[in-house]
Amino acid sequence: MQYIITKLSVHSSLVSKYIKASPSLLFHNGEFHYKNMKKERIVETEIKQAIRSNGSGDMSDVKAVIIETDGSLSIINKKSGEENIDLDSPLFSEVKK
């Protein structure tokens, strides 16, 4: 069964879309994305913990938090003087917004 599903997902973009996970945006510009958080079954506390673990002491230091396909949280920090990190760049093209 797994072989068949894998084979279908490789040859069909429609099947692949429903089978494979994609990263999701959970926090952006100071706002939580509750719809994505609910879908990914993650709460604010877990996001805040990840931000603290990343070494950020303030939520305003964080541009975005993305849950990756392996379940890890990626923290995108604002760089000094660079407020507008472009989430439309190719690096973020797979992220559900």
Side-chain angles (χ1 to χ4, degrees):
M1 182 68 153
Q2 183 179 359
Y3 174 78
I4 294 169
I5 292 172
T6 303
K7 187 111 171 135
L8 284 172
S9 70
V10 168
H11 294 292
S12 169
S13 60
L14 182 62
V15 173
S16 179
K17 178 181 174 183
Y18 289 103
I19 300 296
K20 295 183 179 181
S22 60
S24 292
L25 188 63
L26 303 176
F27 178 84
H28 182 243
N29 286 336
E31 295 183 7
F32 289 96
H33 291 237
Y34 293 104
K35 182 179 174 183
N36 289 347
M37 290 168 60
K38 184 176 181 179
K39 184 178 176 186
E40 299 295 338
R41 298 185 184 107
I42 193 165
V43 294
E44 281 185 35
T45 307
E46 294 171 293
I47 295 171
K48 289 176 182 177
Q49 177 188 13
I51 291 170
R52 288 190 304 272
S53 295
N54 189 54
S56 296
D58 192 342
M59 297 288 285
S60 65
D61 294 337
V62 177
K63 176 70 174 183
V65 178
I66 299 168
I67 188 165
E68 301 293 351
T69 57
D70 65 358
S72 64
L73 296 177
S74 293
I75 314 297
I76 311 299
N77 291 313
K78 293 178 183 174
K79 297 178 184 174
S80 298
E82 188 177 333
E83 291 290 319
N84 297 320
I85 296 171
D86 186 10
L87 292 179
D88 292 323
S89 73
L91 179 62
F92 301 103
S93 64
E94 298 173 340
V95 177
K96 293 179 193 171
K97 296 173 177 95

